[in-house]
Short mmCIF file of all heavy atoms in Angstrom, two decimals:
data_model
loop_
_atom_site.label_atom_id
_atom_site.label_comp_id
_atom_site.label_asym_id
_atom_site.label_seq_id
_atom_site.Cartn_x
_atom_site.Cartn_y
_atom_site.Cartn_z
N HIS A 74 -23.52 28.38 -15.58
CA HIS A 74 -24.14 28.63 -16.88
C HIS A 74 -25.62 28.94 -16.71
O HIS A 74 -26.15 28.83 -15.61
CB HIS A 74 -23.87 27.45 -17.82
CG HIS A 74 -24.36 26.13 -17.33
ND1 HIS A 74 -25.65 25.76 -17.39
CD2 HIS A 74 -23.70 25.11 -16.73
CE1 HIS A 74 -25.79 24.59 -16.85
NE2 HIS A 74 -24.62 24.16 -16.46
N GLN A 77 -28.20 26.97 -14.61
CA GLN A 77 -28.04 26.78 -13.19
C GLN A 77 -28.59 27.98 -12.44
O GLN A 77 -28.52 29.12 -12.90
CB GLN A 77 -26.53 26.69 -12.87
CG GLN A 77 -25.91 25.33 -13.28
CD GLN A 77 -24.43 25.34 -13.05
OE1 GLN A 77 -23.73 26.31 -13.36
NE2 GLN A 77 -23.91 24.23 -12.52
N ILE A 82 -25.32 26.99 -5.96
CA ILE A 82 -24.12 26.38 -6.52
C ILE A 82 -23.30 25.89 -5.34
O ILE A 82 -23.28 26.49 -4.30
CB ILE A 82 -23.30 27.46 -7.31
CG1 ILE A 82 -24.13 28.03 -8.43
CG2 ILE A 82 -21.98 26.87 -7.85
CD1 ILE A 82 -24.54 27.07 -9.52
N GLN A 83 -22.70 24.71 -5.51
CA GLN A 83 -21.82 24.23 -4.45
C GLN A 83 -20.40 24.59 -4.75
O GLN A 83 -20.03 24.76 -5.92
CB GLN A 83 -21.95 22.73 -4.32
CG GLN A 83 -23.29 22.29 -3.72
CD GLN A 83 -23.34 20.82 -3.44
OE1 GLN A 83 -22.69 20.02 -4.10
NE2 GLN A 83 -24.09 20.45 -2.42
N ALA A 84 -19.60 24.75 -3.70
CA ALA A 84 -18.20 25.09 -3.88
C ALA A 84 -17.46 23.85 -4.35
O ALA A 84 -16.72 23.22 -3.62
CB ALA A 84 -17.62 25.60 -2.58
N ARG A 85 -17.68 23.53 -5.63
CA ARG A 85 -17.14 22.28 -6.20
C ARG A 85 -15.62 22.36 -6.33
O ARG A 85 -15.06 23.44 -6.49
CB ARG A 85 -17.75 22.01 -7.57
CG ARG A 85 -19.25 21.81 -7.62
CD ARG A 85 -19.69 21.16 -8.91
NE ARG A 85 -19.12 21.82 -10.09
CZ ARG A 85 -19.65 22.91 -10.61
NH1 ARG A 85 -20.73 23.51 -10.07
NH2 ARG A 85 -19.13 23.44 -11.67
N SER A 87 -13.74 21.74 -8.77
CA SER A 87 -13.30 22.37 -10.03
C SER A 87 -13.31 23.90 -9.89
O SER A 87 -12.45 24.58 -10.44
CB SER A 87 -14.24 21.94 -11.16
OG SER A 87 -15.57 22.28 -10.83
N ARG A 93 -7.98 29.39 -7.93
CA ARG A 93 -6.61 29.43 -7.38
C ARG A 93 -5.70 30.29 -8.21
O ARG A 93 -4.86 31.01 -7.76
CB ARG A 93 -6.10 27.97 -7.33
CG ARG A 93 -4.65 27.77 -7.33
CD ARG A 93 -4.04 27.96 -5.97
NE ARG A 93 -2.75 27.31 -5.86
CZ ARG A 93 -1.60 27.85 -6.17
NH1 ARG A 93 -1.54 29.09 -6.63
NH2 ARG A 93 -0.47 27.21 -6.01
N ARG A 94 -5.87 30.23 -9.59
CA ARG A 94 -4.95 30.95 -10.42
C ARG A 94 -5.55 32.21 -11.07
O ARG A 94 -4.95 32.80 -11.97
CB ARG A 94 -4.45 30.02 -11.52
CG ARG A 94 -3.58 28.90 -10.96
CD ARG A 94 -2.87 28.18 -12.06
NE ARG A 94 -3.79 27.54 -13.00
CZ ARG A 94 -3.53 27.40 -14.31
NH1 ARG A 94 -2.40 27.85 -14.79
NH2 ARG A 94 -4.38 26.84 -15.06
N GLY A 108 -23.68 31.64 -0.73
CA GLY A 108 -23.52 30.22 -0.31
C GLY A 108 -22.23 29.59 -0.81
O GLY A 108 -21.81 28.60 -0.23
N ASP A 134 -22.12 46.21 -6.39
CA ASP A 134 -21.65 47.32 -5.54
C ASP A 134 -21.71 48.65 -6.28
O ASP A 134 -21.64 49.73 -5.67
CB ASP A 134 -20.17 47.11 -5.12
CG ASP A 134 -20.06 46.04 -4.06
OD1 ASP A 134 -21.09 45.56 -3.58
OD2 ASP A 134 -18.92 45.70 -3.70
N TYR A 135 -21.81 48.61 -7.59
CA TYR A 135 -21.66 49.83 -8.37
C TYR A 135 -22.99 50.33 -8.98
O TYR A 135 -23.01 51.29 -9.72
CB TYR A 135 -20.62 49.64 -9.48
CG TYR A 135 -19.26 49.33 -8.93
CD1 TYR A 135 -18.90 48.06 -8.58
CD2 TYR A 135 -18.37 50.38 -8.65
CE1 TYR A 135 -17.66 47.82 -8.01
CE2 TYR A 135 -17.15 50.13 -8.08
CZ TYR A 135 -16.78 48.85 -7.76
OH TYR A 135 -15.59 48.59 -7.17
N GLN A 137 -27.29 51.12 -8.41
CA GLN A 137 -28.34 51.41 -7.43
C GLN A 137 -29.27 50.17 -7.36
O GLN A 137 -29.83 49.82 -8.38
CB GLN A 137 -29.08 52.67 -7.85
CG GLN A 137 -30.12 53.08 -6.86
CD GLN A 137 -29.51 53.65 -5.60
OE1 GLN A 137 -28.69 54.50 -5.64
NE2 GLN A 137 -29.91 53.11 -4.47
N ARG A 147 -36.15 36.21 7.69
CA ARG A 147 -36.21 35.06 6.77
C ARG A 147 -37.62 34.56 6.54
O ARG A 147 -37.84 33.75 5.67
CB ARG A 147 -35.31 33.92 7.27
CG ARG A 147 -33.85 34.21 7.11
CD ARG A 147 -33.26 33.41 5.96
NE ARG A 147 -31.97 33.94 5.58
CZ ARG A 147 -30.85 33.75 6.24
NH1 ARG A 147 -30.85 33.02 7.33
NH2 ARG A 147 -29.70 34.27 5.83
N ASP A 163 -31.25 44.57 -16.66
CA ASP A 163 -31.35 45.90 -17.21
C ASP A 163 -30.03 46.27 -17.87
O ASP A 163 -29.00 46.28 -17.21
CB ASP A 163 -31.70 46.88 -16.08
CG ASP A 163 -31.84 48.34 -16.58
OD1 ASP A 163 -31.37 48.62 -17.71
OD2 ASP A 163 -32.42 49.14 -15.84
N HIS A 165 -28.74 48.99 -18.70
CA HIS A 165 -28.06 50.16 -18.14
C HIS A 165 -27.03 49.70 -17.10
O HIS A 165 -25.95 50.29 -16.98
CB HIS A 165 -29.05 51.11 -17.52
CG HIS A 165 -29.95 51.72 -18.51
ND1 HIS A 165 -31.17 51.11 -18.86
CD2 HIS A 165 -29.89 52.86 -19.24
CE1 HIS A 165 -31.76 51.88 -19.75
NE2 HIS A 165 -31.01 52.96 -20.00
N GLN A 190 -9.31 50.08 -23.50
CA GLN A 190 -10.02 51.30 -23.71
C GLN A 190 -10.72 51.28 -25.09
O GLN A 190 -11.89 51.67 -25.19
CB GLN A 190 -9.03 52.47 -23.64
CG GLN A 190 -9.67 53.82 -23.79
CD GLN A 190 -10.43 54.18 -22.51
OE1 GLN A 190 -9.86 54.21 -21.44
NE2 GLN A 190 -11.73 54.43 -22.63
N ARG A 231 -38.44 47.79 -14.11
CA ARG A 231 -38.24 49.23 -14.05
C ARG A 231 -37.80 49.76 -15.42
O ARG A 231 -38.33 50.76 -15.90
CB ARG A 231 -37.17 49.58 -13.04
CG ARG A 231 -36.90 51.09 -12.96
CD ARG A 231 -35.82 51.44 -11.94
NE ARG A 231 -34.54 50.90 -12.39
CZ ARG A 231 -33.42 51.17 -11.72
NH1 ARG A 231 -33.42 51.95 -10.68
NH2 ARG A 231 -32.29 50.60 -12.14
N ARG B 72 -28.63 60.15 -4.05
CA ARG B 72 -27.72 59.70 -5.09
C ARG B 72 -27.46 60.84 -6.06
O ARG B 72 -26.35 61.01 -6.52
CB ARG B 72 -28.28 58.51 -5.82
CG ARG B 72 -28.40 57.27 -4.99
CD ARG B 72 -27.05 56.64 -4.67
NE ARG B 72 -26.21 56.59 -5.84
CZ ARG B 72 -24.91 56.81 -5.84
NH1 ARG B 72 -24.32 57.18 -4.71
NH2 ARG B 72 -24.23 56.74 -6.94
N ALA B 101 -13.35 58.22 -19.50
CA ALA B 101 -13.92 57.05 -20.13
C ALA B 101 -14.36 56.00 -19.14
O ALA B 101 -15.31 55.26 -19.35
CB ALA B 101 -12.87 56.46 -21.09
N GLN B 107 -27.18 56.99 -18.28
CA GLN B 107 -28.25 56.84 -19.28
C GLN B 107 -29.55 57.49 -18.81
O GLN B 107 -29.99 57.30 -17.71
CB GLN B 107 -28.49 55.33 -19.48
CG GLN B 107 -27.29 54.63 -20.08
CD GLN B 107 -26.89 55.18 -21.40
OE1 GLN B 107 -27.77 55.63 -22.15
NE2 GLN B 107 -25.61 55.22 -21.69
N HIS B 109 -33.50 57.80 -19.55
CA HIS B 109 -34.57 57.17 -20.29
C HIS B 109 -35.86 57.25 -19.48
O HIS B 109 -35.82 57.45 -18.29
CB HIS B 109 -34.20 55.74 -20.63
CG HIS B 109 -34.23 54.82 -19.47
ND1 HIS B 109 -35.32 54.16 -19.04
CD2 HIS B 109 -33.24 54.50 -18.61
CE1 HIS B 109 -35.06 53.45 -17.98
NE2 HIS B 109 -33.77 53.62 -17.71
N GLN B 125 -31.49 57.56 -13.45
CA GLN B 125 -31.67 56.87 -12.19
C GLN B 125 -30.61 55.82 -11.94
O GLN B 125 -30.64 55.11 -10.95
CB GLN B 125 -33.04 56.24 -12.14
CG GLN B 125 -33.32 55.39 -13.38
CD GLN B 125 -34.70 54.83 -13.35
OE1 GLN B 125 -35.04 54.16 -12.40
NE2 GLN B 125 -35.50 55.08 -14.35
N TYR B 126 -29.68 55.70 -12.83
CA TYR B 126 -28.68 54.65 -12.67
C TYR B 126 -27.42 55.26 -12.04
O TYR B 126 -26.34 55.14 -12.58
CB TYR B 126 -28.36 53.95 -13.97
CG TYR B 126 -29.58 53.27 -14.47
CD1 TYR B 126 -30.44 53.85 -15.37
CD2 TYR B 126 -29.91 51.98 -13.92
CE1 TYR B 126 -31.60 53.19 -15.77
CE2 TYR B 126 -31.04 51.37 -14.32
CZ TYR B 126 -31.88 51.96 -15.26
OH TYR B 126 -33.01 51.33 -15.61
N ALA B 128 -24.23 55.76 -10.38
CA ALA B 128 -23.16 54.88 -9.93
C ALA B 128 -21.84 55.46 -10.42
O ALA B 128 -21.83 56.33 -11.28
CB ALA B 128 -23.33 53.53 -10.55
N ALA B 134 -21.37 52.08 -5.17
CA ALA B 134 -22.52 52.88 -4.86
C ALA B 134 -22.67 53.04 -3.36
O ALA B 134 -22.18 52.24 -2.60
CB ALA B 134 -23.77 52.19 -5.42
N LEU B 284 -2.79 23.94 -2.34
CA LEU B 284 -3.64 23.73 -3.49
C LEU B 284 -2.77 23.88 -4.76
O LEU B 284 -2.16 24.93 -4.94
CB LEU B 284 -4.77 24.77 -3.47
CG LEU B 284 -5.84 24.69 -4.51
CD1 LEU B 284 -6.59 23.37 -4.44
CD2 LEU B 284 -6.82 25.85 -4.38
N THR B 287 -3.46 23.87 -10.69
CA THR B 287 -3.89 23.08 -11.85
C THR B 287 -5.41 23.31 -12.06
O THR B 287 -6.11 23.67 -11.15
CB THR B 287 -3.61 21.60 -11.61
OG1 THR B 287 -4.18 21.26 -10.33
CG2 THR B 287 -2.19 21.26 -11.64
N ASP B 288 -5.83 22.97 -13.28
CA ASP B 288 -7.27 23.12 -13.56
C ASP B 288 -8.08 22.02 -12.90
O ASP B 288 -9.24 22.16 -12.59
CB ASP B 288 -7.51 23.12 -15.07
CG ASP B 288 -7.05 24.43 -15.69
OD1 ASP B 288 -6.77 25.39 -14.90
OD2 ASP B 288 -6.89 24.50 -16.90
N ASP B 325 -14.95 18.08 -12.59
CA ASP B 325 -16.31 17.96 -13.18
C ASP B 325 -16.22 17.01 -14.35
O ASP B 325 -15.17 16.92 -15.00
CB ASP B 325 -16.81 19.30 -13.69
CG ASP B 325 -17.13 20.25 -12.55
OD1 ASP B 325 -17.29 19.79 -11.43
OD2 ASP B 325 -17.18 21.47 -12.82
N LYS B 373 -21.37 13.44 -7.55
CA LYS B 373 -22.69 14.11 -7.52
C LYS B 373 -23.18 14.32 -8.94
O LYS B 373 -22.41 14.59 -9.87
CB LYS B 373 -22.57 15.45 -6.83
CG LYS B 373 -22.19 15.34 -5.36
CD LYS B 373 -22.26 16.64 -4.64
CE LYS B 373 -21.79 16.51 -3.22
NZ LYS B 373 -21.99 17.75 -2.43
N ASN B 377 -27.87 19.19 -15.82
CA ASN B 377 -27.22 20.46 -16.22
C ASN B 377 -26.51 21.20 -15.08
O ASN B 377 -26.34 22.39 -15.14
CB ASN B 377 -28.28 21.42 -16.85
CG ASN B 377 -28.79 20.90 -18.17
OD1 ASN B 377 -28.02 20.47 -18.99
ND2 ASN B 377 -30.11 20.92 -18.31
N GLY B 378 -26.18 20.45 -14.03
CA GLY B 378 -25.49 21.08 -12.93
C GLY B 378 -26.38 21.97 -12.08
O GLY B 378 -25.89 22.74 -11.27
N GLY B 503 -29.91 32.87 11.30
CA GLY B 503 -28.79 33.80 11.17
C GLY B 503 -28.13 33.72 9.84
O GLY B 503 -28.78 33.48 8.82
N HIS B 508 -22.42 26.37 0.98
CA HIS B 508 -22.77 25.23 0.16
C HIS B 508 -21.47 24.48 -0.13
O HIS B 508 -20.87 24.66 -1.18
CB HIS B 508 -23.37 25.64 -1.17
CG HIS B 508 -24.61 26.48 -1.06
ND1 HIS B 508 -25.10 27.18 -2.09
CD2 HIS B 508 -25.42 26.73 -0.03
CE1 HIS B 508 -26.22 27.84 -1.71
NE2 HIS B 508 -26.37 27.59 -0.42
#
Side-chain angles (χ1 to χ4, degrees):
Chain A
H74 58 78
Q77 286 175 317
I82 300 295
Q83 288 187 331
R85 298 197 310 279
S87 57
R93 159 80 160 88
R94 293 193 299 147
D134 285 355
Y135 297 86
Q137 184 70 52
R147 286 256 165 76
D163 181 342
H165 295 87
Q190 184 73 57
R231 178 181 65 173
Chain B
R72 293 289 314 141
Q107 295 300 326
H109 71 88
Q125 51 182 305
Y126 296 95
L284 184 62
T287 49
D288 288 346
D325 291 341
K373 297 188 184 187
N377 293 313
H508 303 166

